[in-house]
Structure formats: structure tokens, C-alpha cells
Amino acid sequence: MTTETLKTGARRTLPSMSVLGPVIALVVLVVIGAAMNSNFLGAANISNVLARSAFIGIIAVGMTFVITAGGLDLSVGSMAAFIAGLMILVMNAALPTLGVGVPIILLGMAVALVAGILAGLLNGFLITTLGIEAFIVTLGTMGIYRSLVTWLADGGTLSLDFGLRTFYRPVYYEGILGISWPIIVFALMVIIGEILMSRSRFGRHCAATGSSEHVAHYSNVNVNRTRLLTYAMLGMLVGVATIMYVPRLGSASASTGVLWELEAIAAVIIGGTILKGGFGRVWGTVIGVLILSLIDNILNLTDLVSPYLNGAIQGVIIILAVILQREAKAKG
């Protein structure tokens, strides 16, 4: 067994030491929230927290695969805004032909999914084929997508036709047995993602790629294809999240999806996925999403801190999570 293999094995066993950390943090937050506000554990508040966190959660599932494979994507928030704007423009343009009904909704959904996959493939192609750093590529596309949606909206807001918006609203506000569609879709994406990560060859290839490209290459893992697929998957899930988001407000603007990339990355890191790659767990990402959502909810219910500082709090959480990962690695 080589020294490199030993190092890879150490990195893969490291996260097992911190399995209980995020779970304990989640339980503590629930106790604090319940103690500070009697409405915290109410059905309405819980449903609202889960529904609002579904957008970030769906994206964070894809981000888990990207980071596990040693990548990063800073463009997901801007990508969501662009996809939402494009989706609205296409649906409004098709309204005279298709009318208000299921076909035009399906058209909008198809546009969102195709646009998301293509955007993800673009990021993946620039990173894997041209060899540009993921940080640089996604920082660039973040600006491109944000500028495009601003241009499409002519500096303002793109809005769905009123009748179409009314017809589309149930996709966000309704569901099955009192569980809204965003929560159901989020749960399905988590189940599929966890199966892919822990039980499929693709998940093992992602971990191998993130641990060591050289070792993965000699193990017959197509590193570039694996990374490309992770970005395509993330783009598709951004499209799914956008499909769930658009009926909530029926509009898109330059401010849509701001800081979504920060929240998604924070959720992944809090959940135990190693920022440098090599290990990821989707169920941990779910806990990370819930932790961030509960912090935001507690702050809003108690007025302890201005909601304008939520982004600062999330940034601090990311830094602390990475510091804890490094300390755990040093002890391991």
C-alpha cells in the first residue's frame, strides 16, 4: 500500500469522527428556538421553514457532489436568477399559442431543466477541458448570469402573466397531505442523491477524484468526465429549484438568488463534506440546510439580530466549519 493510498484512507475515515456534531447542533437549535418562541414548533412555522429551505436544499445536494469531487461552484445563485428569467420570458411568449394550462407549465419546466444542464456543462467544460480553476470559472459565470438576467429584465423585474401565475402558484403552495411540493421534491432529491453518493459507482468515483486525481486516474476513473457530470447534475438541480421557486413570487430580477451559493456551500460544509474533496454525505448536507434555516428562523422570530446580517452569520459559520475540519484532520 502506497503512502498516497494511506493518506486517502485517512481522509475518508476522518469525517466519521464528526458525525454527531451537526446532529447535536440541530437538536440544540430546536431546543433554543422552542424555548424562545412558543410558535417555533407550530405546524405552520415548521412547514414554512422546510418549504423555504427546499430551494437551497435541492441545490446543496448537487453542490455536495461537486465539492466531494474536488470542485466548487459560485455561480448557482446567479444561474438560478438567469434560469428563472428565461423561464418566465419563454412562458409569457408561448402564452398566446398554448394558453394557460399544463402544457405551458411543462414547457417552462423543460426550459429550466435544459438551461440548468447546459449552464452546468459550460462550467464543467471550462474547468475540465480547458483546465481553468473552478473558482475562476464560476466567479466569471456568476457575473455573466447575473448581468444577463439584469439585461433581460432591462434593469427591472420579469413577471409572469397574472393568469399564468395564478395557475402555477399551487406548485409552491400546495402538495399532498399538507406537505408542499417543494418539500416533497427536496426529499426525493435527497433520497436519490444519498443513494448515488453512498451506493453507486458514480459516488465512489466522486470521492476518489476529490481525494487524489492521480490515484483515481490509475484506478481507471475518468476524472474529467466525473467532474463534468457533477457540474451538469448541479446545473440540473438548480433548474429543479428554480421550477419550485418561480411560482412563489412569479417574478425574477437581478436580486433573485443572491447569496444562494453561500448558503449551499455552507450547508454542505456544515454537514461534514470536506471542502477540499474526497468525502461527502448528502444526509449531512440536509442537516446543514436545516441548521442554517433554523438559525435564520430563530433570528427572525426573536429579532435578536437584523436579518440583513444573516449573510455575515453564514460566512462565519463556513469559516468555523472549515477550522473544525482542519483541527479534526490534525488530530486524526
Side-chain angles (χ1 to χ4, degrees), residues 143-165:
I144 291 171
Y145 295 137
R146 187 70 64 187
S147 295
L148 284 175
V149 72
T150 304
W151 173 67
L152 291 174
D154 196 22
T157 300
L158 293 167
S159 299
L160 273 176
D161 173 84
F162 180 77
L164 186 54
R165 184 177 2 178

Side-chain angles (χ1 to χ4, degrees), residues 318-332:
I318 292 178
I319 295 172
L320 290 176
V322 173
I323 290 173
L324 290 174
Q325 283 186 0
R326 286 186 176 181
E327 290 183 352
K329 180 180 178 180
K331 292 179 180 179

Side-chain angles (χ1 to χ4, degrees), residues 185-266:
V185 172
F186 178 29
L188 289 174
M189 296 302 102
V190 168
I191 293 171
I192 296 172
E194 179 62 29
I195 292 173
L196 283 175
M197 181 65 78
S198 62
R199 300 180 181 275
S200 75
R201 178 181 296 179
F202 177 64
R204 293 192 295 272
H205 285 184
C206 288
T209 299
S211 291
S212 172
E213 290 187 25
H214 297 295
V215 173
H217 177 74
Y218 288 121
S219 300
N220 294 322
V221 174
N222 190 322
V223 172
N224 284 343
R225 184 177 66 184
T226 299
R227 282 218 174 109
L228 181 65
L229 288 175
T230 63
Y231 283 101
M233 175 190 291
L234 177 55
M236 181 188 70
L237 289 177
V238 172
V240 172
T242 305
I243 288 170
M244 297 291 105
Y245 176 81
V246 168
R248 178 170 174 256
L249 298 176
S251 62
S253 68
S255 62
T256 299
V258 170
L259 293 183
W260 280 16
E261 58 282 340
L262 178 63
E263 293 183 52
I265 294 170

